[in-house]
Amino acid sequence: MTQDNLIKVGMADLNVAHLTGVLKTTGLGSCVGVTLYDSRVKVAGMAHVMLPSSEIAREGSLNIAKYADTAIPELISRMEKLGATVNKLEAKLSGGAQMFAFAGNNDTMRIGPRNVESCKEMLNKYGIPIRAEDTGANYGRTIEFHTETGVLVIRSVQLGVKEI
C-alpha cells in the first residue's frame, strides 16, 4: 500500500472513499470504528466514534463525527453524494473495548459497550445490516478498510492481524 491511497481517519473523525483507497484509523479502544460499504458502486466510509450520544455534548460547536447518533447519518450522507444507496449499504464494526476494570455496574464507565450499542441502534434505524464485527474484549485495535474489496483488516497487539 502506498501513502497515495491511504486515507487517515482521526479520532472523532470520518471520511469516505470511492473506487480506490484504504481508510485507516488507529487507537480504537472504547471507540468504535464503523465502516459502511456499497459494493455495487465501491463507495466506502469510516467513522471513528468516541461517544454514544450527542446529548452529552459540551463543546461549543458540535463535532458530529464524535458521536454515534450524528456520525453515522453524516457518513451516510457523504457516501450518498458519491453514488451510494442507503439500502445497499452494509456495515462492519470494530472496537468498543472495555479498556479498564471497574467495580460495580456503573453504566457511565461502560463506554465501549455503550458505543457499540449506540452504533448498532443507529444502523438498525437506517436498516443497514451488520455483516461482521470484532468488538468488545479489553484491547485496542487499528483498522484498515479497503474500498476496492470491502475487506476490513484489524490489527491488535494481542491477536495480530485478521480480516473480516
Side-chain angles (χ1 to χ4, degrees), residues 41-145:
V41 291
K42 299 215 182 298
V43 173
M46 177 185 287
H48 185 130
V49 174
M50 281 183 68
L51 294 167
S53 173
S54 60
E55 292 175 11
I56 62 171
R58 292 200 176 107
E59 62 258 31
S61 61
L62 181 70
N63 175 355
I64 58 175
K66 189 173 185 176
Y67 306 95
D69 66 331
T70 53
I72 291 171
E74 176 65 17
L75 191 60
I76 292 167
S77 173
R78 290 189 191 185
M79 291 177 71
E80 287 176 327
K81 288 176 184 165
L82 293 176
T85 306
V86 72
N87 66 0
K88 299 290 185 193
L89 294 176
E90 296 183 344
K92 294 182 181 180
L93 304 176
S94 186
Q98 182 64 41
M99 297 301 289
F100 307 100
F102 296 100
N105 286 340
N106 186 347
D107 201 47
T108 59
M109 302 315 265
R110 294 181 54 250
I111 295 170
R114 285 175 45 227
N115 282 340
V116 173
E117 291 162 13
S118 293
C119 288
K120 287 181 175 182
E121 285 173 17
M122 286 305 297
L123 293 168
N124 187 50
K125 178 179 173 184
Y126 284 93
I128 299 171
I130 299 168
R131 291 294 177 223
E133 69 178 286
D134 179 41
T135 58
N138 62 351
Y139 56 87
R141 299 161 172 96
T142 291
I143 61 172
E144 296 176 355
F145 193 54

